[in-house]
Amino acid sequence: MKLQEEIIRRRTFAIISHPDAGKTTLTEKFLLYGGAIQIAGAVKSNKIRKSATSDFMEIERQRGISVATSVMTFEYSNVLINLLDTPGHKDFAEDTYRTLTAVDSVILVIDSVKGVETQTKKLMEVCRMRKTPVIVFINKMDLEGRDPFDLLDELEKMLNIKVQPLSWPINKGSEFKGVYNLFDRTLQLFSPEKQTVEKDRLEIDDLNDPLLDELILRDADQLREDVSLLNGVYPGFDVDEYLAANIAPVFFGSARNNFGVKELLDTFIRISPLPESRETDKRTVVPDEEDFTGFVFKIHANIDPKHRNRIAFVRIVSGKFERNKYIYHCRLDKELKFSSPATFMASARSIIDEAFPGDVIGLYDTGNFKIGDSLSEGEKLQFRGIPSFSPEIFKELINRDPMKTKQLDKGIEQLTEEGVAQLFYQQHGSKKVVGVVGDLQFEVIQYRLKNEYGASCEFVPKDIYKACWITSNDKKKLTEFIRFKSQNVFTDKDDHLVFLAPSEWLLKVTQEANPEITFHTTSEFKTEKVEV
Ligand code: G4P
C-alpha cells in the first residue's frame, strides 16, 4: 500500500473524562466493535481501582500491565484506529496532558447526572490550547440526569466551546426511550434489556410522521418541540468547524447499555481528522513526506525492576518507520537502530516491521530518550507542542541516605524523565524541588526510588503556588532577577529558567516589579503569558 493510502485509513485519538463518567466502559465497547477484545470486562480489570488512592502497591501492579493498554489498535470498517489510553486517576493528569499531544482528536465523555466536572475543564483547556477537535458523548442517559438543554449550555459556558447536538435524547432515566439522530434523521429506540444493533435504527425523515407517535407515544410531541427549538438555536453541522476545533458535535447515549456507541463510532470514523501535520522549530512536517519523523510523548520505565529497560512511546508524524533501519535522534545527534519495535493490540504486544503516520510504536530504550525527543532520517528538528505545565504540588527532595546519593540522583532523574513528576534544580544552590499534579505521586516516587534504586528520600512540603518559565530580552535584568530571587529561581530538565512563585499575590507583585521579564504558563514560550 502506498504511504498516502496508509495515512488516510488511520485515526489516532483519546477518550477523556472526569473519573467515573464512563471512559473505560466506552473504550471497552469500542474495542468490542473493533474485535480487539472478545469479552466485556477485559479493559476494566486493567484500571487502577478507585479504592487505590493511597495504595501504591496497586499502582505498581498496574504499571506492569498498563503498558499493554497504553495504545489500543483496532480495525473498524477498514479504518485503523489507534486509541491512546489516558490514566483515569487525577493524580496522573500530567500523563494525560502529554498523551493529548500525540492524538489528532478526542472524544470527551460527560456524565449526564454530573455534567461538567473539574477534570473535564482542565482536559478541555489542553484541547483548546492545542486546537484538538472534540466530539462530546453525554453518557448515562439511562439515569435520571440533567435536562439536555441545560447540559449543552453548561458545556458551552464552562468549556468555552460551541456545541452542535447531532443526536437528541427522548426523555431520560427510567423513561428514556432512545435518541433521534438529527444528522441522519434516524430514530434509535432504547431497551435496557438488549444491546442495540444497527438495524434498530429507523428512518424518520419527517418528524410529523404518525409512526413517531406510535413508537414513542406521548414523548413524540416533546421531541418535535425540542427539534424545532434546536434548529433555531444551533446553526447546523459544519464538519470544517469541527475539524478547526471551533465546534464540538454532541451525542447522547449509554455506554454501559451499549446504546448510541455504534452511532458515535460510525460518525467518528466518518468525520474525525486523519493523521495531522505537526510544527517543529524549523518548519511544519506533513504526514505524507517520504522521510520518517516522530516524537517521544511518553516513557514507561523499569517494567522489570531487575533490568533497567524502558519503553519510549513514539508518535509517527511522517513517512514510514522501518525496523532495523537507522534513525536519527535529533537531540543527541546520534543514529540509533531498533530491532524490536512494538505495536499494541489491546492486550498483547507484538513486534512490527513498519509503521505509518498516526501510529504509536514502543521502542526499547536504555536511557537515550526524554519526553519530547524528536526522531528523523537525518534532519535536525524539534517538534513543538509537548510542553510541561506547572505542577500543582511542590516538595523539596531530601536525601536520607548519604551513601546512596548517586543512586538517588540517578533515580530521580530517570523517574522525572519518564514524566512521573517534574524536577527543578535550584539555580544558585543545591536544592531540588519535585512538582507533581497529585499527592499520590510522591508516594509512588518514594517507593520506586527505594525499590528500584535503593535510595531513601523524604519530601518536605514547600509553599509554592506555581511554576512559571521565565525569559527576557534584557540579559542584564535577567541576571539581576536570578540573583535577587535566588531562593526561587530554578531550572527544569531542559535547563530552562523557572520561577517558583510562593503565592499568587507574590507572583503578581514580582511580575509588576519586573516588567522586563516574561512569565510563561508552560515550558513552551510561544504560549500565552501568566494571567494573575
Ligand atoms: P471511568 O473509566 O470514566 O472512570 O468510568 P467507568 O467506565 O469505570 O464507569 C464508572 C461507572 O459508571 C461504572 O460503574 C460503570 O459501569 C458506570 N457506567 C458507565 N456507563 C454507564 C451508563 O451508560 N449508565 C450507567 N447507569 N452507568 C454507567 P461501577 O459501579 O463503578 O462499576 P461496575 O460495577 O458497573 O463495573
Side-chain angles (χ1 to χ4, degrees), residues 19 48-59 88-92 438-444:
I48 292 178
R49 266 198 264 115
K50 277 153 220 151
S51 58
T53 31
S54 65
D55 183 354
F56 48 77
M57 287 303 289
E58 174 67 4
I59 287 166
H89 201 292
K90 72 171 175 26
D91 287 10
F92 291 79
D439 229 357
L440 179 58
Q441 295 290 25
F442 289 116
E443 280 183 56
V444 175

Side-chain angles (χ1 to χ4, degrees), residues 375-442:
L375 301 169
S376 74
E377 285 194 30
E379 187 179 354
K380 200 166 177 71
L381 42 77
Q382 171 64 44
F383 281 99
R384 302 201 60 113
I386 314 156
S388 302
F389 299 86
S390 176
E392 288 172 21
I393 310 168
F394 299 82
K395 289 188 182 175
E396 189 181 339
L397 176 73
I398 310 280
N399 187 0
R400 278 281 157 249
D401 183 357
M403 301 296 289
K404 295 278 168 65
T405 305
K406 262 197 184 149
Q407 284 86 336
L408 181 69
D409 287 351
K410 188 173 169 82
I412 193 72
E413 204 175 294
Q414 289 203 340
L415 293 189
T416 45
E417 271 174 15
E418 200 187 311
V420 173
Q422 289 183 53
L423 179 61
F424 302 102
Y425 303 87
Q426 199 175 26
Q427 174 78 352
H428 290 313
S430 57
K431 280 190 185 151
K432 286 193 180 99
V433 168
V434 174
V436 298
V437 178
D439 229 357
L440 179 58
Q441 295 290 25
F442 289 116

